[in-house]
Amino acid sequence: LAGGTPRSVRTRRPVPVGTSGGVTAAGSLASLAGAAAIALLATLLGVAATPLAVAAGGVAGSLADSVLGAFLQ
């Protein structure tokens, strides 16, 4: 996603675009918006009673992916 220089979740230093573990504010906001959309849809379809938990899980998964990428790749 366009929206600034990616920074490493490990060191907070700027990293090249496409680097594992690199995040931007725009990408983080997009992750939050996507998790909220899935939580809303799951609630409307009756498969999730707690949309906040679904959204939190989505954001946590996205962050975990970035952290694992930064440390293991």
Side-chain angles (χ1 to χ4, degrees):
L1 255 179
T5 302
R7 293 189 171 271
S8 170
V9 293
R10 194 168 100 177
T11 64
R12 296 176 142 196
R13 293 189 177 144
V15 294
V17 172
T19 301
S20 291
V23 297
T24 63
S28 297
L29 286 175
S31 172
L32 178 61
I38 295 298
L40 177 62
L41 182 62
T43 302
L44 292 174
L45 293 174
V47 295
T50 312
L52 184 58
V54 175
V59 171
S62 176
L63 181 58
D65 178 66
S66 293
V67 170
L68 287 172
F71 282 91
L72 300 179
Q73 288 185 334

